[in-house]
Amino acid sequence: MFGKRKKQVVGCDVGSSSIKIVELKPLKNGEYQLVHAAIANLSPEAIVDGAIMDSSLVVEALSRLIADNSIRNPNFGGSLSGHSVIIKKIQLPAMTEAELTESIQWEAEQYIPFDINDVNLDYVVLESSGDTMDVLLVAVKKDRIADYTSVIVQAGKEPVLVDVDVFALQNAFETNYAPGEGTIGLVNIGASVMNINVLHNGTSIFWRDVAFGGNQYTEAIQRELNLPREEAERLKLGEQVGEHSLQQVMGVLNSVSEDLAAELQKTFDFFVATSSVDRLDRVVLAGGGSLVLNLDTILKDRFQVDVEVMNPFRNIRYSESDFDPEWINRHAPAMSVAVGLAVRTVGD
């Protein structure tokens, strides 16, 4: 008997500045066809520091995306990052799956800085050797999960999975690139948070969220040129706004990029100091903040490694009659987490 094809999940990345949705159709050769890709901006007061402050604004934006794109698939997947998410690799005595299931909550209490009853817990065994086993532990605060899944429910869809941004980012990367040998730093620069996932020889070995993102650029331009937020956002991406030119803002952008690079330096230095890996071989940027002009060059100079911007649609087929290639290219980096969610299936 042939098993039924698993149902794909619509990737729904609710960020602090925009909502991104992606739906994919798996093809027989292991590739994917793009079915839907869309983005809607959110006002700055809707989500602050990862917390939904005005759910009606978020529900309205998501509902409009669903309606405008005629998305029929009821199964949606979201992801979270920031202070409400804890990811730890822990070492435990070797035990059976049943024993681990029974004891994981007690073991986790020693590593989770929240009340264990206030979090949803998941884990996976990474490897076992002799008397010990390495376990990846993920804990997310229940109230934060409830806030985000409630938005999907109010928009008329069913939240069938909740992932973590760093792992959705990794899914998008692995779908489109061959990780290969060496150490790769995946860096997703959102509006308010940077998600960092370090892969070593294809295996994820380090994760961190840093409170730094695209908002810092916008706010710096607003202060320097006394502009409203919307105009500062456009200048940030290289557009001409009134009499203000790109040359006027390059100094501001470069200054913030140096601050971002310094934050990344601290994170990568900590990674090298606490692991057996002594250097990064490559940095791959994603997220809307990765499109800031000259950022890749500044990071390349700082870390002396290849720096590139991820294209999460690189290996995904799409019809140019359905999707404007220029739109895809412009928005691709910001869609990385949504693509990483869209490769998931119900129940996996």
Side-chain angles (χ1 to χ4, degrees):
M1 291 288 288
F2 292 103
K4 288 184 179 177
R5 183 188 288 275
K6 288 187 174 181
K7 295 175 181 174
Q8 289 297 129
V9 168
V10 176
C12 179
D13 175 18
V14 179
S16 55
S17 69
S18 62
I19 301 175
K20 286 77 66 177
I21 52 175
V22 171
E23 184 175 9
L24 302 174
K25 176 185 176 184
L27 303 175
K28 287 181 179 178
N29 57 5
E31 294 182 333
Y32 291 93
Q33 177 91 28
L34 186 60
V35 179
H36 291 112
I39 189 167
N41 292 329
L42 289 172
S43 57
E45 64 271 17
I47 298 176
V48 179
D49 292 333
I52 297 177
M53 308 303 287
D54 190 334
S55 61
S56 62
L57 287 175
V58 183
V59 171
E60 182 187 338
L62 179 56
S63 299
R64 193 167 59 248
L65 270 182
I66 290 167
D68 290 351
N69 291 276
S70 304
I71 296 174
R72 296 190 180 91
N73 187 344
N75 302 306
F76 270 49
S79 69
L80 296 167
S81 64
H83 303 306
S84 61
V85 176
I86 301 294
I87 305 171
K88 295 273 188 185
K89 186 170 82 168
I90 64 175
Q91 195 171 71
L92 299 175
M95 62 183 83
T96 66
E97 181 64 35
E99 288 170 333
L100 181 59
T101 302
E102 196 172 302
S103 64
I104 191 66
Q105 190 143 329
W106 179 84
E107 297 284 0
E109 278 188 288
Q110 303 171 64
Y111 300 94
I112 305 300
F114 311 128
D115 185 323
I116 202 71
N117 297 310
D118 293 340
V119 301
N120 277 7
L121 201 62
D122 203 357
Y123 64 91
V124 63
V125 177
L126 298 175
E127 59 180 345
S128 296
S129 56
D131 297 332
T132 61
M133 60 199 299
D134 289 335
V135 176
L136 180 64
L137 191 66
V138 181
V140 184
K141 295 194 85 170
K142 289 178 180 177
D143 58 356
R144 188 60 59 88
I145 292 174
D147 286 347
Y148 278 77
T149 55
S150 172
V151 164
I152 293 171
V153 171
Q154 290 179 69
K157 299 297 183 179
E158 185 180 352
V160 295
L161 66 84
V162 177
D163 205 340
V164 176
D165 285 0
V166 288
F167 297 132
L169 179 67
Q170 182 180 346
N171 285 342
F173 178 72
E174 290 174 348
T175 300
N176 292 281
Y177 298 82
E181 299 295 310
T183 307
I184 302 170
L186 304 180
V187 181
N188 183 55
I189 307 169
S192 58
V193 174
M194 271 195 297
N195 315 117
I196 300 159
N197 185 344
V198 179
L199 307 181
H200 180 63
N201 296 338
T203 300
S204 177
I205 60 170
F206 179 86
W207 322 269
R208 176 165 284 185
D209 290 336
V210 177
F212 198 108
N215 287 343
Q216 267 85 345
Y217 292 96
T218 307
E219 290 158 9
I221 294 169
Q222 283 182 275
R223 283 194 307 271
E224 189 74 20
L225 300 179
N226 195 26
L227 289 173
R229 185 180 182 87
E230 189 179 312
E231 291 184 7
E233 283 281 353
R234 288 167 54 202
L235 268 172
K236 178 175 77 177
L237 297 175
E239 292 182 39
Q240 177 103 12
V241 176
E243 297 175 0
H244 300 292
S245 67
L246 180 59
Q247 284 69 31
Q248 285 180 283
V249 296
M250 276 311 296
V252 181
L253 294 180
N254 287 343
S255 175
V256 179
S257 289
E258 291 289 356
D259 291 343
L260 185 151
E263 288 294 329
L264 270 182
Q265 180 86 59
K266 283 189 275 187
T267 298
F268 290 147
D269 285 350
F270 178 79
F271 159 70
V272 168
T274 55
S275 75
S276 58
V277 178
D278 60 3
R279 69 184 299 275
L280 281 176
D281 299 304
R282 183 173 157 210
V283 172
V284 178
L285 304 177
S290 67
L291 297 174
V292 170
L293 290 163
N294 207 40
L295 173 61
D296 56 345
T297 302
I298 285 173
L299 294 180
K300 200 175 293 185
D301 291 345
R302 163 82 67 143
F303 298 113
Q304 294 296 300
V305 297
D306 286 338
V307 177
E308 65 180 298
V309 176
M310 188 192 301
N311 176 7
F313 299 116
R314 187 169 180 250
N315 282 352
I316 292 170
R317 297 185 185 183
Y318 66 89
S319 163
E320 292 190 8
S321 61
D322 295 329
F323 298 96
D324 176 8
E326 188 182 330
W327 186 95
I328 291 286
N329 290 335
R330 187 166 74 248
H331 293 290
M335 310 293 278
S336 298
V337 167
V339 169
L341 291 167
V343 301
R344 302 282 303 275
T345 57
V346 176
D348 72 354

